[in-house]
Amino acid sequence: MNYVKEILSSEDFISKKILVAGWVKTFRANRFISLNDGSTINNLQCVIDFEKYNDEFLKKISTGSAIEIKGKVVESQGSKQSVEVLVDEIIILGESDPDDYPIQPKKHSLEFLRSVSHLRTRTTTFSSVMRIRSTLSYAIHTFFQKNGFYYVNTPIITASDAEGAGEQFKVTTLNYKKLKVDNHSDDFFGKETKLTVSGQLEAESYAMSMGKVYTFGPTFRAENSNTSRHLSEFWMVEPEVAFLDLKGNMDLAEKFLKYTIDYILEKNKEDLEFLEKRLIEEDKHKPKDKRNEFSLIEKLNFIVKNNFEKITYDQAFQILKNCKPNKKKKFKYLITEWGNDLQSEHERYLVEKHFKCPVIIYNYPAKIKSFYMKLNSDNKTVRAMDILFPGIGEIVGGSQREENYDILLKRMQEFKIEKEELWWYLDLRKFGSAVHSGFGLGFERLVMFVTGMSNIRDVIPFPRTPQNAEF
Amino acid sequence: MNYVKEILSSEDFISKKILVAGWVKTFRANRFISLNDGSTINNLQCVIDFEKYNDEFLKKISTGSAIEIKGKVVESQGSKQSVEVLVDEIIILGESDPDDYPIQPKKHSLEFLRSVSHLRTRTTTFSSVMRIRSTLSYAIHTFFQKNGFYYVNTPIITASDAEGAGEQFKVTTLNYKKLKVDNHSDDFFGKETKLTVSGQLEAESYAMSMGKVYTFGPTFRAENSNTSRHLSEFWMVEPEVAFLDLKGNMDLAEKFLKYTIDYILEKNKEDLEFLEKRLIEEDKHKPKDKRNEFSLIEKLNFIVKNNFEKITYDQAFQILKNCKPNKKKKFKYLITEWGNDLQSEHERYLVEKHFKCPVIIYNYPAKIKSFYMKLNSDNKTVRAMDILFPGIGEIVGGSQREENYDILLKRMQEFKIEKEELWWYLDLRKFGSAVHSGFGLGFERLVMFVTGMSNIRDVIPFPRTPQNAEF
């Protein structure tokens, strides 16, 4: 069996006999089959002599049908492709009734395609997105493995609800009918368990022995958020590094993001070119001021080639307080008081209008951040950092962790977290504690940024959102 | 900051000043600190001039404490290491009270270490196991990506209970107290949802458009199995390939296993040597007939260098029926009737006594296998295959999938699976169906095999088992 990708990418195949199988994208003039087998974005043109086949047979060659072809590779007569296949033999493996098949060779809305998620990678848009998603995953693993990090699988089912990152799903084997009280002594794990919202705390325990580690696994939020930026189930990347401070953490995140994006620019050029054209088409239907300033590939190159701007929350607060939209009361949430969290409109102003590049904000007010973040000596800010990207907003959130036992315990009390619940996490500050830092990257946010897709449901194979767990 | 690994592996550091941080493994004679930072199995010997420090300070240098050292690398006086560090400056980052610290420099039982899973990678055994686990993950991704496979994240939360691989955990946001009836219309997803037991069915939908795909993610079983081979939460690898038949599937699995094991032999030599010595020590306490025939590394080389034996269920049945242990009634389950599933004792006989190599059994009786497996023309066997490894038993299970719509529907009816539940899975047989195959590998089983660990709870960072969801 040969693959479309190898046939199209090597001249060695010219004049050779090949055997190839795939799905029909289009069939024109009873003569030209455009065949795709998933190995590449490009289709292989297969030319048949229709006089050899009867009408009934030719009707079975339709969009979506699976076929196997034996033939000879020749230089193409047409200008659209360099080579094509002169077909000697064609076998219909599986038909695809044009009256029933949902994916016709025309433009479908992304909403409609979500309703047929099991077939949507038969479109070029979705196969490109998912090829990029796959390469991005591998780029992430490769970056960390090359740099001496170990991959750690932190638990998915957890009894802890101290992670504090959001609402959690419950996991149980109890029979709902019989259970009248909230008693989990008969439950599978003997106590109430939930789906994890973050692997960070467990990753910290591994960093405090193995030095540099990272997680890459599914995390969950049971919030009723029906937006284009939220999923109930999504994948997160969480590196954690011993003996690394906040500055080192920011540098690591910047290096990491540049590496992974550059990797895609190199490996998925054709997919990016297709998605770029798609965005340009999409832009044509938008008012001028809503169109993208940069093309997709320009935008990615811009990230790779420019330094991220690093500013403190203080500095961000000053810029925002004195900026035009704030003074002219154009912001929905006006910036008046130090200590409030920044809203998406403020982040976008900083990234898209003020700095026009990715921005890292650090040293946030302690009261709006998590209990485990390292308290600065001013006693009011913590060594947290958020990385903001154009169009996406927050793509990375991280911090130096509080390594002092007494301060951590005090912060836990402030957040009403029981000492008994996180005894093992406290242990890390008792036995060989040290400066350490890490961050979390929402993987789908990165896939959105790299592919230019605007709805997060379109960058994960089978999205889970409120009221939706189909497939 | 320098890492122990780089200091030990390059002569360029000799006579150079370095800065290194890590945890004290041992401190001998108030002079020799054995330091590990997780970057390698090996420790760095750091030599201090104890006359420079007072007793109170020296007491803080104890097993488990975190320290930072500035010093000069010199060729070692001792024979155990090639280089050592003459310490100029030492900073205690985090103490570790010897009276409290659970991980003392002595032999701890694996059971005890499970109770301190947050600290157990501070032992050489567990850091070696987890380093190998990390490399194995990357070997798996690398094998597939090199061979043109795309990584697919299939859903963790699923509304389907047709996967049939085992008991499932329920996922809910309902308040147990208020819920008196089994009504999920108010639940988060509007219906009953569970944790996945396999990503195969969804992976098939991606194979039927993208050609070659694989999953690598967590899967769950709510069975009350308290054995050394079962986890409630474990990681599974599931490739799925279009236009591939059972024979191709067996070849793929063999190539895959050999590649990943060979990768570890090359990259984790020192970890393997340590674990091999550990097993030899363990064997000394066993009766002679229970000891391992091969050393760990010999065993791994044996897998890489020998062909897997491929036999049908029929052939396995004949061998077992006529073998000595069956005739002498030494098996707990005697082999008398064609069609029963093979037990662990039978599999071990075939692998360890009869063939003395990995064995692939294929063409199993249909009635003991899943509904989605391709029915052979004999109407009584399916194109399933199991790969059996010495000491581990089944490590891979796979099959060619039923691609015929009518036969699949009939099989679903036999298994009492509603058509409405798997409408999308049936669609794959309606629109461009084709021969396709795949298999599942229990990742932890592979880690057990490669590390020689005999309890599956010792090869995953934080094991989940009945009554246990600690950390």
Side-chain angles (χ1 to χ4, degrees):
Chain A
M1 183 79 75
N2 304 105
Y3 292 100
V4 171
K5 187 176 184 170
E6 51 176 12
I7 294 169
L8 292 179
S9 62
S10 165
E11 288 188 1
D12 298 353
F13 278 96
I14 291 175
S15 304
K16 295 269 163 66
K17 294 276 183 187
I18 54 100
L19 167 66
V20 69
W23 294 271
V24 175
K25 295 288 255 190
T26 56
F27 182 37
R28 287 185 299 118
N30 269 352
R31 194 165 163 75
F32 302 104
I33 299 170
S34 186
L35 188 78
N36 190 283
D37 65 359
S39 63
T40 160
I41 191 174
N42 298 305
N43 304 321
L44 180 65
Q45 174 153 296
C46 303
V47 187
I48 65 167
D49 177 1
F50 59 85
E51 292 186 353
K52 282 171 65 181
Y53 308 95
N54 62 35
D55 273 4
E56 202 188 345
F57 185 87
L58 291 173
K59 269 175 79 177
K60 292 181 182 171
I61 306 171
S62 64
T63 298
S65 62
I67 60 174
E68 188 179 287
I69 276 175
K70 281 180 191 159
K72 197 170 96 175
V73 180
V74 296
E75 290 189 59
S76 178
Q77 306 295 310
S79 58
K80 282 179 104 179
Q81 56 278 319
S82 57
V83 298
E84 61 191 20
V85 171
L86 298 182
V87 176
D88 293 326
E89 199 185 326
I90 178 166
I91 298 170
I92 310 287
L93 301 172
E95 299 174 39
S96 178
D97 186 341
D99 294 334
D100 282 355
Y101 189 53
I103 315 282
Q104 289 302 313
K106 60 158 196 162
K107 211 173 150 46
H108 294 284
S109 76
L110 298 174
E111 290 75 13
F112 167 74
L113 290 170
R114 255 170 249 150
S115 73
V116 287
S117 290
H118 62 307
L119 298 173
R120 65 179 175 168
T121 37
R122 297 192 184 188
T123 67
T124 312
T125 298
F126 280 98
S127 70
S128 289
V129 168
M130 295 307 166
R131 267 190 295 270
I132 288 174
R133 185 182 164 106
S134 170
T135 314
L136 256 183
S137 293
Y138 191 61
I140 289 167
H141 283 293
T142 301
F143 173 83
F144 287 123
Q145 298 268 345
K146 265 191 180 175
N147 285 288
F149 285 69
Y150 304 110
Y151 182 43
V152 179
N153 295 125
T154 49
I156 310 299
I157 298 173
T158 172
S160 161
D161 55 11
E163 292 157 346
E167 289 294 312
Q168 292 182 283
F169 289 102
K170 299 171 190 176
V171 175
T172 183
T173 53
L174 292 174
N175 187 326
Y176 302 104
K177 278 182 195 167
K178 285 184 186 159
L179 187 71
K180 301 249 161 68
V181 287
D182 208 349
N183 180 351
H184 287 269
S185 58
D186 290 337
D187 209 344
F188 192 88
F189 296 107
K191 52 182 157 186
E192 192 177 29
T193 51
K194 293 150 187 183
L195 289 180
T196 185
V197 295
S198 160
Q200 177 202 316
L201 305 192
E202 288 90 354
E204 279 186 55
S205 93
Y206 266 55
M208 296 313 281
S209 55
M210 300 184 71
K212 298 193 276 190
V213 302
Y214 70 107
T215 74
F216 188 176
T219 49
F220 306 85
R221 298 282 189 283
E223 267 121 28
N224 198 6
S225 301
N226 258 306
T227 82
S228 60
R229 290 161 40 88
H230 291 92
L231 289 168
S232 308
E233 174 182 315
F234 58 98
W235 286 66
M236 193 135 78
V237 179
E238 296 178 289
E240 192 70 36
V241 186
F243 315 116
L244 189 77
D245 63 13
L246 182 63
K247 181 173 179 314
N249 199 27
M250 292 193 274
D251 292 342
L252 175 68
E254 180 171 348
K255 199 174 135 197
F256 163 76
L257 287 165
K258 286 178 170 174
Y259 178 90
T260 51
I261 293 171
D262 198 39
Y263 198 95
I264 298 300
L265 281 166
E266 196 190 311
K267 305 273 180 186
N268 290 69
K269 206 165 165 290
E270 290 174 321
D271 292 315
L272 286 176
E273 281 164 358
F274 174 84
L275 292 169
E276 173 164 286
K277 273 189 214 138
R278 193 193 149 271
L279 281 177
I280 290 167
E281 279 303 310
E282 210 179 62
D283 266 7
K284 285 184 186 161
H285 304 283
K286 287 183 186 167
K288 271 197 176 156
D289 64 319
K290 297 273 177 194
R291 292 181 195 172
N292 290 295
E293 203 174 331
F294 294 112
S295 81
L296 180 61
I297 294 172
E298 278 171 357
K299 183 185 78 173
L300 300 180
N301 272 313
F302 183 83
I303 298 282
V304 170
K305 289 182 181 144
N306 286 282
N307 289 330
F308 294 8
E309 192 70 40
K310 297 184 182 74
I311 57 168
T312 62
Y313 172 90
D314 273 351
Q315 290 169 314
F317 174 74
Q318 293 303 336
I319 292 167
L320 289 166
K321 200 177 154 191
N322 298 316
C323 75
K324 262 192 194 167
N326 198 54
K327 291 191 163 169
K328 292 194 170 173
K329 306 197 173 181
K330 291 273 165 80
F331 283 147
K332 195 174 162 205
Y333 298 91
L334 291 182
I335 297 281
T336 52
E337 208 178 326
W338 189 96
N340 290 336
D341 210 354
L342 303 181
Q343 302 297 320
S344 166
E345 56 182 342
H346 310 134
E347 295 177 347
R348 293 193 66 167
Y349 175 83
L350 290 170
V351 173
E352 291 162 28
K353 303 289 177 194
H354 189 87
F355 289 110
K356 293 178 188 292
C357 76
V359 173
I360 310 185
I361 304 180
Y362 64 100
N363 283 352
Y364 277 87
K367 65 170 187 177
I368 58 171
K369 289 289 181 182
S370 305
F371 74 94
Y372 50 70
M373 295 182 175
K374 173 80 181 165
L375 196 63
N376 277 312
S377 55
D378 64 11
N379 264 322
K380 62 174 195 174
T381 59
V382 286
R383 291 190 197 163
M385 62 117 173
D386 283 354
I387 302 187
L388 313 175
F389 263 26
I392 296 285
E394 187 194 324
I395 194 158
V396 158
S399 73
Q400 188 175 322
R401 317 307 189 187
E402 184 54 73
E403 87 273 19
N404 179 292
Y405 184 93
D406 296 323
I407 299 175
L408 180 64
L409 191 60
K410 198 164 155 267
R411 293 277 287 160
M412 282 171 60
Q413 283 158 355
E414 285 167 20
F415 280 76
K416 301 204 181 347
I417 298 165
E418 299 291 333
K419 193 177 165 184
E420 291 68 31
E421 180 159 4
L422 287 186
W423 64 273
W424 59 272
Y425 189 67
L426 282 162
D427 261 10
L428 305 176
R429 280 71 182 169
K430 215 159 140 184
F431 306 119
S433 187
V435 166
H436 62 291
S437 300
F439 62 84
L441 165 90
F443 180 54
E444 281 76 18
R445 295 265 173 97
L446 182 60
V447 184
M448 284 174 81
F449 184 76
V450 172
T451 59
M453 300 301 282
S454 56
N455 193 316
I456 200 165
R457 297 166 201 215
D458 295 331
V459 299
I460 190 167
F462 300 94
R464 267 69 182 109
T465 52
Q467 301 299 314
N468 174 39
E470 190 66 66
F471 307 106
Chain B
M1 182 80 73
N2 304 107
Y3 292 99
V4 171
K5 187 176 185 172
E6 52 176 10
I7 295 169
L8 291 179
S9 60
S10 164
E11 288 188 1
D12 297 352
F13 279 95
I14 290 175
S15 305
K16 295 268 162 64
K17 295 277 182 186
I18 53 99
L19 168 67
V20 68
W23 293 272
V24 175
K25 296 288 257 188
T26 57
F27 182 37
R28 287 184 301 117
N30 270 351
R31 194 165 163 76
F32 302 105
I33 299 170
S34 186
L35 188 78
N36 190 284
D37 64 0
S39 64
T40 159
I41 191 172
N42 298 305
N43 304 321
L44 180 66
Q45 176 154 295
C46 303
V47 188
I48 65 166
D49 178 1
F50 60 85
E51 292 185 352
K52 281 170 63 181
Y53 308 95
N54 63 34
D55 272 5
E56 201 187 345
F57 185 87
L58 291 173
K59 268 176 80 178
K60 292 180 181 171
I61 306 171
S62 64
T63 297
S65 62
I67 59 175
E68 187 178 287
I69 276 174
K70 282 181 191 159
K72 195 170 98 177
V73 181
V74 297
E75 291 189 60
S76 178
Q77 306 296 310
S79 58
K80 281 180 107 179
Q81 56 279 318
S82 58
V83 298
E84 60 190 23
V85 172
L86 299 182
V87 175
D88 292 324
E89 198 185 327
I90 178 166
I91 298 170
I92 311 286
L93 300 172
E95 299 176 40
S96 177
D97 186 341
D99 294 334
D100 282 354
Y101 188 52
I103 315 282
Q104 288 302 312
K106 60 157 195 163
K107 210 173 150 45
H108 294 284
S109 75
L110 298 174
E111 289 76 14
F112 167 73
L113 289 171
R114 256 169 249 151
S115 74
V116 287
S117 290
H118 62 308
L119 299 173
R120 67 178 174 168
T121 37
R122 297 194 183 187
T123 68
T124 311
T125 298
F126 280 98
S127 70
S128 289
V129 168
M130 295 307 165
R131 267 191 295 271
I132 289 174
R133 185 181 165 106
S134 170
T135 314
L136 255 185
S137 292
Y138 191 61
I140 289 167
H141 283 292
T142 301
F143 173 83
F144 287 123
Q145 299 267 347
K146 265 191 180 174
N147 286 288
F149 286 68
Y150 304 110
Y151 182 42
V152 178
N153 295 125
T154 50
I156 309 301
I157 299 173
T158 172
S160 161
D161 55 12
E163 292 157 344
E167 289 294 311
Q168 291 182 284
F169 289 102
K170 298 170 190 177
V171 175
T172 184
T173 53
L174 292 173
N175 186 327
Y176 302 104
K177 278 181 194 165
K178 287 185 187 158
L179 187 72
K180 302 250 160 70
V181 286
D182 207 349
N183 180 351
H184 287 270
S185 58
D186 289 339
D187 208 345
F188 191 88
F189 295 107
K191 52 183 158 185
E192 191 177 30
T193 51
K194 294 151 186 181
L195 289 179
T196 184
V197 295
S198 161
Q200 178 202 316
L201 305 193
E202 288 90 353
E204 280 186 54
S205 93
Y206 266 55
M208 296 313 282
S209 55
M210 301 184 70
K212 298 194 277 191
V213 302
Y214 69 107
T215 74
F216 188 176
T219 50
F220 305 85
R221 298 280 189 285
E223 267 120 29
N224 198 5
S225 301
N226 258 307
T227 83
S228 60
R229 290 161 40 88
H230 291 92
L231 290 168
S232 309
E233 173 182 315
F234 58 98
W235 286 65
M236 192 135 78
V237 180
E238 296 179 288
E240 192 71 36
V241 186
F243 314 116
L244 189 78
D245 63 13
L246 182 63
K247 181 172 180 315
N249 199 28
M250 292 193 275
D251 292 343
L252 175 69
E254 181 170 348
K255 200 174 135 197
F256 163 76
L257 286 166
K258 286 177 171 173
Y259 178 90
T260 51
I261 293 170
D262 198 39
Y263 198 96
I264 298 301
L265 282 166
E266 194 191 310
K267 306 273 181 186
N268 290 69
K269 205 165 166 290
E270 290 175 321
D271 293 314
L272 286 176
E273 281 164 359
F274 174 84
L275 292 169
E276 173 163 286
K277 273 188 212 138
R278 192 193 151 271
L279 281 178
I280 291 167
E281 279 304 310
E282 208 179 63
D283 266 8
K284 286 183 185 161
H285 303 282
K286 289 182 186 169
K288 271 198 177 156
D289 63 321
K290 298 272 179 195
R291 291 180 197 172
N292 292 295
E293 203 174 330
F294 295 112
S295 81
L296 179 62
I297 294 171
E298 278 170 356
K299 183 186 78 173
L300 300 180
N301 271 312
F302 183 82
I303 298 282
V304 170
K305 288 181 181 143
N306 286 282
N307 289 330
F308 295 7
E309 191 71 40
K310 296 184 183 75
I311 56 168
T312 62
Y313 173 90
D314 272 351
Q315 290 169 316
F317 174 74
Q318 292 303 334
I319 292 166
L320 290 166
K321 199 178 154 191
N322 299 316
C323 77
K324 264 192 192 166
N326 198 54
K327 291 191 164 169
K328 292 194 169 171
K329 306 197 173 178
K330 291 272 165 79
F331 283 147
K332 196 174 161 205
Y333 298 90
L334 291 182
I335 297 282
T336 52
E337 207 179 327
W338 189 95
N340 290 335
D341 210 355
L342 303 181
Q343 303 296 320
S344 167
E345 58 182 342
H346 310 133
E347 295 177 347
R348 294 194 65 166
Y349 175 82
L350 289 170
V351 172
E352 291 162 28
K353 303 289 176 193
H354 190 87
F355 288 110
K356 294 179 187 290
C357 75
V359 174
I360 310 185
I361 304 180
Y362 64 100
N363 283 353
Y364 276 87
K367 66 171 185 175
I368 58 170
K369 289 290 182 181
S370 305
F371 73 95
Y372 49 72
M373 296 182 175
K374 172 81 182 164
L375 197 63
N376 278 311
S377 54
D378 65 8
N379 263 322
K380 63 175 195 174
T381 60
V382 285
R383 290 189 199 164
M385 63 117 173
D386 282 355
I387 303 186
L388 312 175
F389 262 27
I392 297 285
E394 186 194 325
I395 194 159
V396 158
S399 72
Q400 188 175 321
R401 317 307 189 187
E402 184 55 72
E403 87 274 18
N404 179 291
Y405 184 93
D406 296 324
I407 299 175
L408 180 64
L409 190 60
K410 198 165 156 267
R411 293 277 287 159
M412 281 170 60
Q413 283 158 355
E414 285 167 20
F415 281 77
K416 301 202 181 352
I417 298 165
E418 300 291 332
K419 194 177 163 183
E420 291 67 33
E421 181 159 2
L422 287 186
W423 63 275
W424 59 271
Y425 189 67
L426 282 162
D427 262 9
L428 305 176
R429 278 72 180 168
K430 217 160 138 183
F431 305 119
S433 187
V435 166
H436 62 290
S437 299
F439 62 83
L441 165 90
F443 179 55
E444 281 75 17
R445 294 265 174 96
L446 183 60
V447 184
M448 284 174 81
F449 184 77
V450 172
T451 59
M453 300 301 281
S454 56
N455 192 316
I456 200 164
R457 296 165 201 215
D458 296 331
V459 300
I460 190 167
F462 300 96
R464 267 69 181 111
T465 51
Q467 300 300 314
N468 174 38
E470 190 67 66
F471 307 104

